[in-house]
Amino acid sequence: MVASSWQPDLGDLTGPPPENPNHPQQPVDFAIWQAADGTWQLWSCIRNTKCGGMTRLFYAWEGRNLTDPDWTPLGIALQADSPRFETRAGGLQAPHVVNVPLASTRSSDGLEARATQFYMIYGDWDYLMIQRSHDGKTFERWLYDNGKPAMFTEGEGCNTRDPCLIHIGDKWHVYYTAYPKRDGQPTGGVYCRTSTDLRTWSDSALVARGGLTGTGPTSSECPYVVKVGRYYCLFRTQRYAGPPTTSVYRSTDPMDFGIDEQADRKFVCLLEVAAPELFVHGGQWYIAALMPTSRASGLRSSHGCGTRSRKRIEELNHG
């Protein structure tokens, strides 16, 4: 999906906002997945727009094949509906989508059809929220009894955000970042909660913090966990540019990637990417990440993770 530009035309909402004219509109955290019809979908958070509030909304692109250039822009996919559903106007952050197989059915001609359900988790600046879809293209908020799609938060002002879902054993694990105060200072970390049904969630557990990355509010952004061989690998971003920087950690325990003085013992390497998503398609690893340009002005992907990144992934499975 390499493209010369991923700067969308938002019409009247195209940034920068008048109150911050020197902050250009930017695509930042995103999700990429294959819809039920086989097309590839990409939704990105676009910040510094004129949508008001926190200036963020989701914009969508579609590609017929994963490695095709110049995917088709589909327009604005979602805006915060505050205070009806989301807590803050313009507060949408970091979508993440998973495809969950449901029961198989067989037609009269004997062909098997496997139904699926897509779930999207995203941030609204304070809470992690959930939506669902049958086709992986059109999503609707999955409301709780209180009429809200909010699942949980680490607390007001902690900016709970950047979810990543992975199924381990018989439970869903959602990893995310937040910066609750510690000794009076906002302290970034990676948290995890578990669920069997994506509705009822456990209490939060701190699974990564500190070490060489420090503990600032942006020290643990965009956490992404994949399993490589017998290891669980955590990618967490510190910088979007100058250069982009993501730290990689490895553990046999998906609930422990190192906290404070223990973090560096699980550290593997640094990658010059920001907000990466990693997945396997057709037996091949892929990585999608923000472009390595100033202020994260676009998106890129590398078939097979690229030589350097692929080598790093192979190293994660060895001592």
Side-chain angles (χ1 to χ4, degrees), residues 106-111:
R106 194 170 295 276
S107 64
S108 58
D109 56 7
L111 295 177

Side-chain angles (χ1 to χ4, degrees), residues 153-172:
T153 179
E154 287 302 307
E156 185 178 353
C158 295
N159 199 194
T160 305
R161 65 197 188 282
D162 301 355
C164 169
L165 269 172
I166 179 173
H167 200 262
I168 302 172
D170 61 352
K171 293 181 180 179
W172 286 100

Side-chain angles (χ1 to χ4, degrees), residues 17-38:
E19 62 271 21
N20 287 304
N22 296 322
H23 290 75
Q25 175 179 293
Q26 301 162 345
V28 282
D29 305 55
F30 62 93
I32 180 171
W33 70 95
Q34 192 170 24
D37 64 0

